[in-house]
Amino acid sequence: MPKVMIVAGEPSGDLHASHVARQLKVLCPDITLFGMGGDQMEAVSVKLDLHIQDSAVMGFADVITVLPMFLRKQAYLKRHIREDRPDVLLLVDFAEFNMPLAKFAQRQGVSVVYYIPPKAWAWRANRARKLAKWANVVAAIFPFEAEFYRNSGANAEFVGHPLVDFAQTPLSTQAARERLHICETEDDPAAPVIGLMPGSRRSEIHHIFPVMLKAAANIAKVYPNAQWILPLAPGISRDLISKYQQELCRGWVTQPLELPSIKIVENQTYQAMRASTLLLVTSGTATLEATCIGAPMIILFCTAALNWHIIKALTPLNRSGLPNLIAGRDIVPELLQTELTPTALTALALDFLKHPQKRETQREALQAVYAQLGTAGAAERTAELVLDAAKSL
């Protein structure tokens, strides 16, 4: 009976790990699964030794604040690997935490499968060489990523991107709007629907959402009949969103800030993307989900000043958004750090709202990126790699 330790550290990793765990149970019903994860993994009968609660962080400065907790969790998992030796260690994303575990497990003679590996092709290329030494198999989610890791000496397999399996909706734009109770106004039936996606971490909300709201107030002056929708990310509460709305209005003392009414929806992210004329979206997985849906977007990124200085010191990249990184060119406009101001975001959004052809051109480019993500079945192919690793012992 094979034993597999699974380690995921964020909500997105928990979700992707749960899909692999489900497939492992299908392919090998008597398998034992345990490790670190969240509610999604627990729901598919993975025994959680550690929960990811409070593990999700953004940037180096945030990592520093939770470093003692990270080190305690790592030490626990290392002891678990040593004392209750699994047949395979399946690591999912979360590179800062998982890379040291890969090294430790390799030294203990435990097979390592790394699913959704570090984006070494984008920056910090030395990670690919290290992972080539520590992982038995790298389950890459982009074809060029698999090639990059192979060129670094890794045993890398392209399994496809997990979003292809579930980042989709059968609804048309009109049907999605009806589902979300977004109705055309009699005065302006062509009024745009603008989606706001400020992030899935509190730090992202803190740095980006106020800028979004100020830009929304500006855009509403030009498009008074525009409708606004905010699909709530897992782990972010309505109260937190309301808090920023209220504080921004109270704090705008020189001139009252009139924010448009924003419809907040839960568990309907892809419907909201399909319903939107334009998305204002924080850099991250959501940008690739929007790519799968084919939703025109503007990508935003802002973090603590220390994080930004470290990022700029470590990488020469001038792009943040995954669609642009995959395409190798700027197909989606980005506003990064100091560029992200209410004035700049307002001007860029109005330009896209006024020129439908720009949105259509971006949609076509997003379709080309989507074609690089492979076919459905990433979780099943990864599960097969895990079981092959267990059999090879």
Side-chain angles (χ1 to χ4, degrees):
M1 183 171 67
K3 293 194 303 182
V4 178
M5 174 185 279
I6 306 176
V7 180
E10 296 182 289
S12 62
D14 176 44
L15 176 65
H16 298 317
S18 73
H19 292 160
V20 178
R22 184 181 291 111
Q23 290 300 321
L24 285 168
K25 291 278 189 179
V26 170
L27 296 171
C28 183
D30 63 348
I31 197 169
T32 298
L33 303 177
F34 62 96
M36 182 175 94
D39 296 343
Q40 300 281 350
M41 286 170 57
E42 195 167 39
V44 293
S45 302
V46 179
K47 179 181 178 295
L48 295 187
D49 300 302
L50 293 173
H51 199 283
I52 64 171
Q53 201 168 8
D54 303 323
S55 290
V57 296
M58 176 187 176
F60 299 93
D62 292 344
V63 170
I64 291 171
T65 63
V66 297
L67 186 57
M69 177 191 66
F70 270 27
L71 292 176
R72 286 195 299 272
K73 288 185 174 183
Q74 278 185 343
Y76 177 89
L77 292 171
K78 287 178 180 179
R79 187 169 62 251
H80 210 340
I81 291 169
R82 187 174 60 247
E83 296 176 357
D84 190 20
R85 183 187 178 86
D87 296 304
V88 180
L89 172 64
L90 173 61
L91 302 172
V92 183
D93 204 357
F94 209 46
E96 303 297 337
F97 186 91
N98 278 337
M99 287 285 283
L101 289 180
K103 180 180 180 180
F104 180 82
Q106 187 272 335
R107 290 181 172 177
Q108 296 294 315
V110 173
S111 291
V112 176
V113 176
Y114 207 123
Y115 179 44
I116 313 180
K119 295 176 180 62
W121 45 270
W123 59 304
R124 298 178 74 178
N126 65 315
R127 282 185 166 184
R129 294 187 292 273
K130 290 179 179 178
L131 198 55
K133 299 177 184 176
W134 303 336
N136 297 73
V137 185
V138 174
I141 59 176
F142 304 110
F144 61 84
E145 180 178 66
E147 182 180 0
F148 180 88
Y149 271 97
R150 288 190 202 108
N151 291 337
S152 299
N155 175 23
E157 296 286 342
F158 172 54
V159 296
H161 201 288
L163 287 181
V164 173
D165 286 274
F166 57 88
Q168 52 187 284
T169 174
L171 300 178
S172 66
T173 298
Q174 186 59 36
R177 290 178 180 180
E178 291 174 359
R179 177 74 59 85
L180 297 169
H181 305 292
I182 298 173
C183 304
E184 292 182 354
T185 61
E186 293 183 5
D187 295 339
D188 187 3
V193 175
I194 303 171
L196 304 179
M197 301 190 69
S200 59
R201 301 178 177 94
R202 295 179 72 94
S203 57
E204 291 174 326
I205 305 292
H206 175 74
H207 288 289
I208 294 170
F209 193 43
V211 179
M212 276 188 178
L213 290 175
K214 292 173 188 177
N218 294 337
I219 295 167
K221 294 175 184 176
V222 181
Y223 289 94
N225 293 322
Q227 299 191 65
W228 303 80
I229 187 165
L230 191 156
L232 209 60
I236 301 299
S237 67
R238 289 174 178 265
D239 289 343
L240 181 64
I241 296 298
S242 297
K243 170 178 171 287
Y244 277 94
Q245 291 174 294
Q246 294 167 7
E247 287 183 355
L248 198 58
C249 289
R250 284 200 303 267
W252 210 254
V253 292
T254 56
Q255 183 178 353
L257 185 67
E258 296 184 11
L259 294 177
S261 175
I262 300 173
K263 177 186 286 289
I264 299 175
V265 298
E266 298 180 60
N267 303 316
Q268 299 182 88
T269 297
Y270 302 139
Q271 293 90 331
M273 287 179 169
R274 178 58 56 79
S276 297
T277 309
L278 180 68
L279 288 175
L280 310 183
V281 55
T282 295
S283 182
T285 302
T287 64
L288 210 53
E289 292 176 307
T291 299
C292 295
I293 300 297
M297 69 186 108
I298 297 170
I299 295 174
L300 317 175
F301 181 81
C302 187
T303 185
L306 175 59
N307 288 338
W308 182 249
H309 288 308
I310 295 174
I311 290 170
K312 294 300 287 183
L314 290 174
T315 174
L317 286 179
N318 294 315
R319 301 184 183 104
S320 170
L322 286 169
N324 292 336
L325 290 170
I326 295 167
R329 61 189 181 93
D330 296 328
I331 62 175
V332 180
E334 298 186 10
L335 292 174
L336 309 181
Q337 202 65 12
T338 55
E339 298 172 346
L340 180 56
T341 65
T343 300
L345 180 54
T346 299
L348 197 51
L350 288 176
D351 185 44
F352 266 74
L353 292 171
K354 291 176 180 177
H355 298 95
Q357 186 54 45
K358 288 191 174 184
R359 302 197 301 272
E360 189 56 36
T361 298
Q362 187 189 115
R363 227 183 242 110
E364 292 172 0
L366 292 175
Q367 183 62 36
V369 171
Y370 177 73
Q372 296 185 55
L373 302 182
T375 58
E380 182 177 0
R381 287 187 284 270
T382 302
E384 290 171 349
L385 291 176
V386 171
L387 292 178
D388 287 345
K391 291 174 186 175
S392 66
L393 294 175

